[in-house]
Amino acid sequence: RWVSPHPAVGEGCTGCGTCAQNCPAEAITILHEQAHVDYGRCIHCFCCQELCPERAIAVHYPRLTRWWAQPR
């Protein structure tokens, strides 16, 4: 959880439900016209990011991962 990239839902989400319908882990729910990811169930496949018609889901890299990946 501290180093794994995970999907982050942005403000462009319209709540269409495409991500929730196609999530193999069933980790996404639509609440108040916004997608919400249950990171405990997420398998980090990023199907949601690939299929989002609004491009509202991005890959978030935790700070520790960004620090580790910096060239030395």
Side-chain angles (χ1 to χ4, degrees):
R1 146 180 159 196
W2 295 94
V3 295
S4 296
H6 59 271
V9 181
E11 294 180 14
C13 179
T14 60
C16 69
T18 301
C19 56
Q21 293 168 357
N22 292 290
C23 179
E26 298 180 358
I28 302 174
T29 56
I30 306 297
L31 299 171
H32 308 291
E33 298 182 7
Q34 181 83 18
H36 294 274
V37 180
D38 178 355
Y39 296 114
R41 298 181 72 176
C42 180
I43 60 172
H44 310 284
C45 66
F46 299 104
C47 289
C48 53
Q49 189 241 354
E50 293 175 10
L51 296 172
C52 180
E54 304 298 327
R55 299 188 185 267
I57 301 177
V59 178
H60 173 75
Y61 294 91
R63 186 174 298 172
L64 184 59
T65 303
R66 292 189 307 247
W67 173 80
W68 184 265
Q70 288 180 349
R72 303 199 195 287

